[in-house]
Amino acid sequence: MKSRIATTCLQVWCAVTLLASCAYAQETTRVTPSLAVTPLPFSCDAFTENHWRELRFGVNSPEEYVEAVERVWGVEAWAIPIRSEVREDLWGAWDADSTVMPGLSYWVLFDRAEKLLQVAGYWDWQKFSRPTLTQVIDCLGPPEYYIAAIVEDRRDWLKFSLWYVVKGFVIQGSSFRPVSSGHLDWPLIGPGTSMGGSFAPQSGHFYVVAPGNLERMVAAVYGPFMQAWELCLVKPWPDSIEAVEIMSFEEYVECAT
């Protein structure tokens, strides 16, 4: 039975990874008009804080996590851990109630002691519109911190995220590099900036972790080996969206040292 469930978990993981990869491909793929579906408008339901407070990060075992999800969300859930060959963390997955949040799925990560570490949320962009930066702030208020940096590697991208330390939310931002006037320009961060997108398909569109401590939040999202680098990128949120500064690639690399 456990073997069959583990196999199902692996299949779900592959499906979610493929779905996340397709989200980026949609930016460049032409869709047949007859098959196009208008996405539902963004809703703040994903950030219903009293739901997330029922999860005990650093305490819940996989079994306790499942019990909390089924009790609070009212959906059948499972979190049979999958131990990767390249890391000792434990993974699981579950789908949200489609009547509340269509196209939303979650991945859950447990630490080596099999205690709840993080929950990553993924939106299906074919079913659900991406929120803008203004919409996220309307839902959660201004964040305490943010990361905004240019990354130049095999495919240049913009690393952008909002950090809500008091609430325990980390919201990823857009990383697409649009074509403007016949050449590629880095996007500016403004009220209409798309949130929830991420360059790496395996990255969550948003994360929920234990609140209250920025250092522990960074370690929970990126891992202890990346903690110092990511903390170097973090800046306090300014008074306005227009005052957000994008770190250059040179500054980004300097943080690695």
Side-chain angles (χ1 to χ4, degrees):
M1 179 63 180
K2 289 186 177 180
S3 175
R4 186 176 63 182
I5 295 177
T7 301
T8 302
C9 293
L10 186 58
Q11 292 173 341
V12 172
W13 181 86
C14 294
V16 173
T17 302
L18 178 62
L19 179 62
S21 302
C22 290
Y24 180 82
Q26 290 170 14
E27 297 296 314
T28 56
T29 301
R30 179 173 296 179
V31 179
T32 304
S34 61
L35 299 178
V37 178
T38 302
L40 294 171
F42 173 73
S43 169
C44 293
D45 290 342
F47 308 130
T48 305
E49 294 174 56
N50 61 340
H51 280 38
W52 295 107
R53 291 194 185 103
E54 294 295 322
L55 300 180
R56 298 182 297 162
F57 292 91
V59 176
N60 282 152
S61 66
E63 294 76 17
E64 291 169 329
Y65 170 82
V66 168
E67 188 278 329
V69 168
E70 293 181 343
R71 172 171 48 84
V72 177
W73 273 267
V75 297
E76 183 177 353
W78 51 266
I80 303 300
I82 305 173
R83 191 177 296 278
S84 169
E85 294 181 358
V86 297
R87 58 188 297 173
E88 295 187 18
D89 300 321
L90 303 177
W91 284 90
W94 61 284
D95 290 328
D97 184 347
S98 61
T99 64
V100 176
M101 201 69 171
L104 183 63
S105 59
Y106 300 98
W107 279 98
V108 55
L109 176 64
F110 301 91
D111 61 22
R112 295 183 180 184
E114 299 193 19
K115 302 301 180 183
L116 180 61
L117 183 62
Q118 62 158 259
V119 179
Y122 299 83
W123 285 302
D124 181 345
W125 300 128
Q126 290 182 325
K127 299 178 181 179
F128 211 62
S129 298
R130 292 176 182 166
T132 65
L133 177 54
T134 296
Q135 287 175 316
V136 170
I137 292 178
D138 286 344
C139 291
L140 295 174
E144 288 84 15
Y145 299 94
Y146 75 99
I147 290 176
I150 292 174
V151 181
E152 298 178 10
D153 51 20
R154 290 179 300 175
R155 189 166 198 155
D156 298 344
W157 54 292
L158 178 65
K159 182 182 181 71
F160 181 45
S161 55
L162 307 178
W163 292 75
Y164 290 87
V165 177
V166 174
K167 300 177 185 296
F169 287 111
V170 181
I171 316 298
Q172 298 281 18
S174 173
S175 61
F176 299 110
R177 193 178 186 186
V179 177
S180 176
S181 303
H183 63 280
L184 293 173
D185 287 331
W186 286 111
L188 298 176
I189 295 176
T193 294
S194 294
M195 302 300 295
S198 57
F199 175 76
Q202 70 272 19
S203 297
H205 298 151
F206 70 92
Y207 295 91
V208 187
V209 295
N213 184 287
L214 177 63
E215 288 76 13
R216 287 200 299 267
M217 288 179 64
V218 170
V221 173
Y222 292 107
F225 297 108
M226 296 292 292
Q227 183 184 34
W229 188 356
E230 297 296 335
L231 282 172
C232 178
L233 303 175
V234 172
K235 294 183 179 181
W237 182 256
D239 295 332
S240 66
I241 296 175
E242 290 72 21
V244 170
E245 298 179 356
I246 301 177
M247 186 179 293
S248 68
F249 179 63
E250 289 72 23
E251 293 175 300
Y252 173 79
V253 173
E254 286 178 6
C255 277
T257 61

